[in-house]
Amino acid sequence: MKMNTLAASLILTGAFGLSTLSATAEAHVHENTALDTAVSSDFRQTKNSARDTYRHPKETIEFFGVEPSDTVIELWPGGGWYAEILAPYLAEKGHYIGGNFNANPDDEKQRNGYRAKAGKKFEKWIVDNKAKLGNASTVTFDPPSFYAMGKDNSADVVLTFRNLHNWAMKGYLEPVFDSAYKVLKSGGTFGIVEHRANPGMDAKTGYMDQAQMIKLAEKAGFTFVESSEINANAKDTKDYPKGVWTLPPRLALDDQDKEKYLAIGESDRMTLKFIKK
């Protein structure tokens, strides 16, 4: 099972003494410094770093136990909010893989659609920033045509941020979880951040039921490790005219009650960690 460096250091102390603890703890501090550097880097877009107060990237990545040497697949990176942090963090020793939209679909209408354009833009970003991102790459992950995320048992971590409702509305959620399970190594981590529903809410609101998501992941074979309130927001009442998109950053009602929704902030989010045993 994948174990974080600090926990491992405590176990090793009894067997190998203080010097081993010191060396391991030093490595842990180095990893934290590398993550701090990635989060605070001016490589990130200002509009993205401005949202750290709601998205807590450092704490979230630490919660999932992502290490600099890991192979990490991020599903649907979109505009690259987390990729701007994860890809540089993994550039030296690890491997960042974006589970990207199909950038070159056969259908002409799809080629001119949002997904294809976003997919091409993300691929270009990877190429244009190779010096910063190392061997970062993409894999086409675009249900229902493309579910596979790579070779079986090849990844240390699979992450998804605020995507579950999109797959749920199309009936793709269960095979997505199955595919994540297949691509992960034994001991690998499946990390989820998603808008958290009140019981009985429809996925069309953008919110998902936490207990149901845990149950679905366990059905795919995962073991639930723990949840975190890192990305919680008690101000989110979840009863808006246009669902979660009423809140920032989308502000789907434009200027209508804008100050009210800005005061609430971004959505209340579940943060869930699973492992593949």
Side-chain angles (χ1 to χ4, degrees), residues 44-266:
R44 299 180 64 201
Q45 298 177 72
T46 301
K47 67 177 183 179
N48 287 343
S49 57
R51 295 177 63 200
D52 287 359
T53 186
Y54 298 115
R55 301 195 69 177
H56 312 99
K58 180 177 184 289
E59 296 84 355
T60 301
I61 292 169
E62 287 181 332
F63 174 72
F64 291 140
V66 180
E67 298 176 1
S69 57
D70 283 341
T71 294
V72 178
I73 302 171
E74 182 194 359
L75 304 182
W76 281 11
W81 198 96
Y82 257 101
E84 287 183 348
I85 300 170
L86 286 168
Y89 177 58
L90 300 167
E92 184 178 349
K93 299 178 181 178
H95 185 193
Y96 172 87
I97 303 170
N100 197 27
F101 296 127
N102 183 7
N104 297 289
D106 294 331
D107 182 79
E108 183 177 355
K109 183 178 180 180
Q110 290 180 349
R111 284 199 298 273
N112 294 316
Y114 164 77
R115 288 195 187 186
K117 290 180 178 178
K120 287 177 181 177
K121 184 175 181 180
F122 189 74
E123 288 183 351
K124 184 178 186 300
W125 179 80
I126 293 281
V127 172
D128 289 348
N129 293 283
K130 185 173 179 57
K132 184 74 174 179
L133 309 181
N135 66 342
S137 61
T138 62
V139 61
T140 300
F141 170 76
D142 204 347
S145 300
F146 299 92
Y147 280 109
M149 302 173 190
K151 294 181 180 178
D152 290 357
N153 309 302
S154 63
D156 298 293
V157 182
V158 173
L159 300 175
T160 174
F161 301 98
R162 299 160 42 246
N163 289 312
L164 301 191
H165 57 281
N166 294 306
W167 302 321
M169 286 188 283
K170 297 289 187 179
Y172 305 154
L173 197 51
E174 189 167 338
V176 168
F177 279 32
D178 289 341
S179 184
Y181 187 85
K182 289 177 182 177
V183 79
L184 282 167
K185 301 173 184 176
S186 177
T189 296
F190 183 36
I192 292 172
V193 177
E194 175 61 302
H195 312 295
R196 177 166 45 195
N198 293 327
M201 292 182 70
D202 194 296
K204 292 179 180 179
T205 64
Y207 293 93
M208 300 294 293
D209 184 274
Q210 180 167 321
Q212 290 179 0
M213 295 307 95
I214 293 172
K215 185 176 180 180
L216 187 62
E218 290 177 336
K219 182 180 179 181
F222 288 106
T223 298
F224 177 55
V225 178
E226 59 180 323
S227 64
S228 171
E229 294 302 295
I230 297 167
N231 297 301
N233 181 0
K235 295 180 181 179
D236 181 5
T237 55
K238 311 173 186 182
D239 56 355
Y240 314 116
K242 293 193 175 183
V244 73
W245 301 281
T246 308
L247 296 177
R250 179 73 177 274
L251 293 170
L253 294 178
D254 298 320
D255 290 333
Q256 181 182 335
D257 294 324
K258 182 177 180 179
E259 294 305 316
K260 168 187 172 181
Y261 297 124
L262 286 173
I264 293 171
E266 296 194 17

Side-chain angles (χ1 to χ4, degrees), residues 2-14 16 20-21 24-25 28 67:
K2 196 167 176 273
M3 185 181 301
N4 70 56
T5 309
L6 186 58
S9 71
L10 296 174
I11 294 170
L12 288 169
T13 305
F16 300 107
T20 302
L21 171 61
T24 311
H28 180 71
E67 298 176 1

